[in-house]
Amino acid sequence: MDQEKIFHALVLDHVGSNACVKNMKISDLPEGDVLIKVSYSSLNYKDGLAVTGRGKIVRSYPMVPGIDLTGVVEYSNSPKFSTGDAVILTGWEIGEKYWGGYSQYARVKAEWLVPLPASMKPKHAMSIGTAGLTAMLSVMALEENGLQSDYEVVVTGAAGGVGSIAIALLSKLGYKVVASSGREEAHDYLRELGAYRIIDRQVLSREGKPLETQQWGGAIDTVGGKTLTGILRSLSHGGAVAACGLAGGSDFCTTVFPFILRGAKLIGIESVLCPSETRRKAWERLSQLLTSDLLERITQVYPLSEIPRLSEEILDGRVRGRIVIDVNALAASSK
Ligand SMILES: NC(=O)c1ccc[n+]([C@@H]2O[C@H](COP(=O)([O-])OP(=O)(O)OC[C@H]3O[C@@H](n4cnc5c(N)ncnc54)[C@H](OP(=O)(O)O)[C@@H]3O)[C@@H](O)[C@H]2O)c1
């Protein structure tokens, strides 16, 4: 591989700097045993925090943000992967501590990689990305707890990335999914994903008694704060909440009653350092449960240059579904 080969990457030079697309050389990439020619990345809530500097996500500079990538192995020093293998990388602190996916090339550790499932297109792997992996891990956690189909399952932050994919997965699995959303204009979209019923996000975040009518057989909560408090008080006996996000707040107050009187379970979902074997299982299930048509419907594709603008939008709750980044396109047009 020509170490002087020039490519494009989005770079944050220092704390508070604006993210800019820059020319880099292969020799500029950090150490790693696999060189990947990246095709697509994606935009997650955490990327928005990193790129805008509105959250303390980036831990060393200069940094190439982007917590997800997919591409083809160009060179491998590891027996686990060979030149030409199609791979996915999400999490493992790329885009935070290690250089990430907003780049035409990435050099990474082989142990971070998962093979692209045979039936999945690279673009669709990034329609899923960290958001979709988190949704799948949340569904798997609820299943392990014994998800009850005689009650509805609620998904909060429904029109966002994790929420959209969680609704699609749960509905495909046959559950009655209730979408909690603050966006009236997203109702048709949520029904298309498989939502059985839609509630305004304020229904769950209002004040209430410590325990209320049992309503939810399970929940996937991307919002946190008062919303999580609201879910817990209406969780059915033995039900569980997969808590994976904080789009509405990081603190929450509750009483012990849902836990000691109804056996409620609060399950934390963590996708960044999730073990490789669990990831592989999750990606296989994602490839079985999500169709190309559905992934096309939830996805918009943008070039690297649009990431700073889109980062503000995702933090303001204005992105619907998933944003895929075509790292090899520089023109500012949505496809
Ligand atoms: N634990 C993990 O490993 C992990 C992995 C991925 C993501 N996450 C977290 O999960 C959350 C969602 O991520 P995402 O990528 O899906 O983000 P996203 O696409 O921006 O979706 C978040 C959704 O939350 C709702 N929302 C936004 N602001 C809100 C507010 N102030 N109050 C109530 N609801 C609000 C909106 O949905 P509506 O418009 O439909 O109401 C929004 O679309 C984030 O907090 C992210 O950090 C965690």
Side-chain angles (χ1 to χ4, degrees), residues 44-45 130 134 157-162 180-183 201 222-223 244-248 269-271 314 317 319:
N44 295 275
Y45 191 86
T130 286
T134 303
V162 178
S180 166
S181 175
R183 280 185 267 184
R201 66 161 78 133
T222 73
V223 171
C244 62
L246 44 59
I269 304 298
E270 194 284 309
S271 67
I314 199 166
V319 165

Side-chain angles (χ1 to χ4, degrees), residues 4 6 17 43 95 134 174 197 285 297 313-314 320 335:
E4 296 303 298
I6 306 271
S17 69
L43 183 78
T134 303
R197 192 159 76 80
R285 283 198 74 194
R297 249 181 286 147
E313 288 197 5
I314 199 166
R320 193 184 83 176
K335 287 180 230 161

Side-chain angles (χ1 to χ4, degrees), residues 2-333:
D2 175 7
Q3 294 298 307
E4 296 303 298
K5 186 181 166 108
I6 306 271
F7 64 90
H8 301 294
L10 190 81
V11 182
L12 286 163
D13 276 321
H14 52 80
V15 181
S17 69
N18 291 328
C20 295
V21 178
K22 292 195 171 177
N23 284 345
M24 310 200 85
K25 289 189 269 182
I26 299 290
S27 56
D28 293 330
L29 290 169
E31 299 213 329
D33 42 13
V34 181
L35 178 69
I36 298 169
K37 177 144 185 26
V38 181
S39 52
Y40 296 99
S41 181
S42 84
L43 183 78
N44 295 275
Y45 191 86
K46 191 189 261 181
D47 294 312
L49 291 171
V51 170
T52 58
R54 278 159 69 176
K56 286 187 187 149
I57 301 296
V58 177
R59 277 168 282 156
S60 75
Y61 292 87
M63 175 56 67
V64 173
I67 65 170
D68 295 338
L69 63 87
T70 188
V72 171
V73 173
E74 183 114 346
Y75 171 81
S76 173
N77 227 344
S78 157
K80 290 182 180 156
F81 293 95
S82 309
T83 304
D85 286 351
V87 290
I88 302 170
L89 168 46
T90 66
W92 293 115
E93 300 180 308
I94 67 162
E96 303 182 49
K97 196 167 162 189
Y98 309 104
W99 284 15
Y102 295 160
S103 175
Q104 292 178 297
Y105 282 91
R107 192 153 39 207
V108 301
K109 294 186 188 172
E111 69 214 49
W112 294 343
L113 299 171
V114 171
L116 179 75
S119 59
M120 194 179 280
K121 290 183 184 158
K123 183 173 112 179
H124 292 159
M126 290 294 100
S127 301
I128 296 170
T130 286
L133 175 67
T134 303
M136 189 74 246
L137 294 174
S138 301
V139 170
M140 285 158 65
L142 294 183
E143 286 174 337
E144 272 166 38
N145 184 61
L147 189 49
Q148 306 161 42
S149 53
D150 40 350
Y151 285 100
E152 296 169 332
V153 182
V154 67
V155 174
T156 64
V162 178
S164 294
I165 297 179
I167 291 168
L169 291 170
L170 287 166
S171 124
K172 183 78 192 249
L173 289 164
Y175 295 101
K176 280 187 177 167
V177 190
V178 176
S180 166
S181 175
R183 280 185 267 184
E184 239 180 275
E185 68 277 16
H187 285 197
D188 287 346
Y189 166 80
L190 295 170
R191 279 190 201 96
E192 270 181 49
L193 292 180
Y196 164 77
R197 192 159 76 80
I198 299 163
I199 54 171
D200 189 279
R201 66 161 78 133
Q202 286 178 2
V203 170
L204 291 172
S205 61
R206 63 173 170 66
E207 298 297 319
K209 296 184 216 150
L211 285 178
E212 292 187 353
T213 307
Q214 299 180 54
Q215 201 169 2
W216 315 122
I220 296 182
D221 178 42
T222 73
V223 171
K226 290 181 175 166
T227 300
L228 181 50
T229 308
I231 293 168
L232 282 166
R233 68 168 80 97
S234 296
L235 208 56
S236 65
H237 197 277
V241 189
C244 62
L246 44 59
S250 54
D251 296 346
F252 73 101
C253 284
T254 185
T255 66
V256 296
F257 294 119
F259 304 102
I260 63 171
L261 296 182
R262 288 187 182 159
K265 295 188 190 65
L266 182 55
I267 307 174
I269 304 298
E270 194 284 309
S271 67
V272 178
L273 301 178
C274 158
S276 294
E277 210 188 308
T278 312
R279 283 171 194 261
R280 283 175 189 243
K281 277 188 201 150
W283 278 102
E284 277 311 319
R285 283 198 74 194
L286 284 160
S287 76
Q288 289 155 10
L289 291 167
L290 300 176
T291 62
S292 294
D293 273 2
L294 181 124
L295 292 168
E296 280 296 320
R297 249 181 286 147
I298 66 168
T299 303
Q300 298 170 70
V301 185
Y302 287 93
L304 277 180
S305 54
E306 289 286 290
I307 293 171
R309 178 181 69 79
L310 294 165
S311 294
E312 298 286 351
E313 288 197 5
I314 199 166
L315 296 187
D316 294 344
R318 284 185 284 130
V319 165
R320 193 184 83 176
R322 291 281 296 150
I323 301 256
V324 166
I325 305 298
D326 179 347
V327 300
N328 298 301
L330 280 172
S333 67

